[in-house]
Amino acid sequence: MTAASEPVDRERLLRHAVTVLIDNWRGHFTVPSRGLYPHQWSWDSAFVALGLRHVFPGRAATELLSLFGGQWRDGRMPHIVFNSAVADDAYFPGPSFWRSSRRPGHPPVATSGIIQPPVHARAAAAVAHTLGADGPAFAHRIFPPLAAQSRYLRERRAVGSGGLAAVVHPWETGLDNSPVWDAPLRAVPVDLRLFDTYTRRDLSHAEAGERPTDEDYARYVRLALAYRDHDYDDDWVRADGEFLVVDPAFNALWAWSELALAELAEQAGADPAPHLAEAELIKAALVDRLWDDSLGIFLAYDARAGRLLAERSVAGLVPLVLPGLPDRVVAGLVATLTGAAFRGRAGTVSGVPSFDRTDSRYDAQRYWRGPSWFNTTWLVAQGLQTHGHSALAAELSHDLVRLADRAGLREYFNPTTAAGHGADDFSWSAALLIDVLTQQNGAALDR
Ligand code: 9WN
């Protein structure tokens, strides 16, 4: 019996995943991990809700509603809503770094000032569905903040004639230290004086070799400080910020969420039409501006330098989540996913590596520079399912189960050895495992 065909104890895995979500629950939200990330993170909460809904649907609704308690008056949903029960320096950069409370219109809770990929409406639509008869009441409450989040992207983050949204910090992509950001980050000086002004808390919880480098951190801090010191002004940052990038995953998730907003609008008594139209607009711009036929993948665009970044990362596969992509695009994405850059020969790679395995900068255990992650692998599986590639989707879901079985609910995984890295008992790994186990039948998983 090969390792891939060993039977998996689904019940045990499910129990463990549920225990992790219970242990990481803080009364109205879930921390991504108990040590490394002791606050509420934006896109983490969406993935967590997608799993929580199967076991505690009420908590899933609370998770999303409590997150939007941190939304700003301009509609931005910050990437962290701080947990006032932990010390300011439990995580760096904490509340005193971001200074959200000095901003007019800030909510009564401390937050960061940057954003993360907008996958929340998709999670909310799934939660509303699971809530059954209580779905419309939840839709009524969650629809207005979700619609405001989308409006913020359209009004404050759109760049160029295609109108796609730009991110102004690598943390906004969620794929923080992807090698794709190396080139745009070269324009951001490493300010050595900054090194003495902060302590990296992440290194007390994870190996330095698995996290971003000190130089990258100094750039992250510089970018965040500049945005903060310009009062988080999006006119300033779009004109003069040192990092301005259009990311395919971010925009695809925005379009996917617009489709979900249309579903929620039906339940909330609002008009779905503008959301369907917005989704089409974003999708057309993605294909028109970011699709690269020769590389068979969507690329990021460096709006500062005015050029596409010709590198293959999992972010370029995520647009598969969108229905109605041209056939040649879907075929190209599937060929790239199953080719040497990502999955290669059947059975040799687990999940979807976060970066091109044939590139010299691929690093199988450093954060977003190679490892497979649950959320991006799950998103690609969703996309495959949408386009009728069910067998390949099932393979990816099966990989997630096998990774959890072999290495536990880690933050990220070496795609070839299946070793786990980063935080343990990581919430979105637990939540998406629950989703996968709940959606699949046993026969497929134990093959
Ligand atoms: C910065 C919480 C977050 C995820 C991101 C992941 C990581 C933070 C960090 O952890 O980022 O936001 O300190 O490295 O890259 O995707 O949301 O799990």
Side-chain angles (χ1 to χ4, degrees), residues 32 37 41 43-44 79 91 116 174 176 211 367-368 426 428:
Y37 308 116
W41 257 261
W43 79 329
D44 296 60
H79 95 304
Y91 172 82
Q116 264 189 334
D176 308 357
R211 294 280 305 171
Y367 216 40
W368 293 100
F426 190 62
W428 82 41

Side-chain angles (χ1 to χ4, degrees), residues 92-389:
F92 176 81
S96 61
F97 175 96
W98 296 100
R99 301 183 187 163
S100 65
S101 60
R102 296 194 191 173
R103 215 190 123 89
H106 78 89
V109 59
T111 67
S112 68
I114 58 171
I115 57 176
Q116 264 189 334
V119 70
H120 310 82
R122 179 45 64 195
V127 171
H129 180 75
T130 315
L131 286 171
D134 294 330
F138 171 66
H140 263 97
R141 290 183 67 189
I142 199 76
F143 180 79
L146 288 170
Q149 177 190 31
S150 275
R151 261 196 315 276
Y152 167 77
L153 296 177
R154 169 59 57 223
E155 288 168 7
R156 308 299 297 151
R157 290 304 190 90
V159 289
S161 53
L164 294 171
V167 290
V168 303
H169 194 293
W171 285 337
E172 294 201 313
T173 68
L175 274 58
D176 308 357
N177 70 337
S178 168
V180 183
W181 312 141
D182 290 355
L185 277 178
R186 272 199 286 278
V188 182
V190 175
D191 185 345
L192 295 176
R193 286 163 311 174
L194 283 176
F195 279 138
D196 297 330
T197 64
Y198 59 88
T199 306
R200 287 184 61 176
R201 294 290 166 203
D202 57 322
L203 298 182
S204 330
H205 301 281
E207 295 290 325
E210 301 178 359
R211 294 280 305 171
T213 61
D214 282 339
E215 287 70 23
D216 278 345
Y217 241 77
R219 292 184 166 108
Y220 301 154
V221 170
R222 177 183 166 96
L223 287 170
L225 282 175
Y227 193 33
R228 179 197 77 184
D229 292 343
H230 285 86
D231 292 328
Y232 301 107
D233 177 356
D234 292 312
D235 288 334
W236 170 79
V237 82
R238 281 182 295 179
D240 291 322
E242 289 175 329
F243 184 92
L244 194 72
V245 158
V246 177
D247 174 50
F250 188 101
N251 281 281
L253 294 174
W254 178 23
W256 203 37
S257 274
E258 288 288 354
L259 294 174
L261 270 173
E263 290 167 32
L264 286 165
E266 309 258 9
Q267 296 190 52
D271 182 5
H275 301 289
L276 294 173
E278 182 71 290
E280 282 308 313
L281 211 79
I282 301 166
K283 185 170 67 186
L286 271 166
V287 173
D288 193 37
R289 312 264 153 174
L290 303 187
W291 173 250
D292 185 298
D293 237 349
S294 57
L295 289 174
I297 201 159
F298 287 91
L299 302 179
Y301 176 73
D302 182 348
R304 216 19 93 240
R307 67 181 185 94
L308 285 165
L309 299 163
E311 286 161 311
R312 287 180 293 203
S313 98
V314 67
L317 300 174
V318 167
L320 258 184
V321 296
L322 295 175
L325 289 172
D327 289 348
R328 70 167 207 293
V329 169
V330 175
L333 288 170
V334 171
T336 303
L337 170 67
T338 51
F342 291 97
R343 305 262 303 157
R345 205 156 42 80
T348 53
V349 168
S350 296
V352 184
S354 43
F355 190 61
D356 182 349
R357 292 167 62 234
T358 64
D359 189 291
S360 60
R361 286 164 306 156
Y362 169 81
D363 180 340
Q365 58 187 43
R366 197 186 277 275
Y367 216 40
W368 293 100
R369 303 181 76 86
S372 293
W373 290 67
F374 262 59
N375 64 337
T376 39
T377 300
W378 182 89
L379 286 167
V380 174
Q382 292 292 310
L384 290 168
Q385 198 68 56
T386 299
H387 294 284
H389 291 274

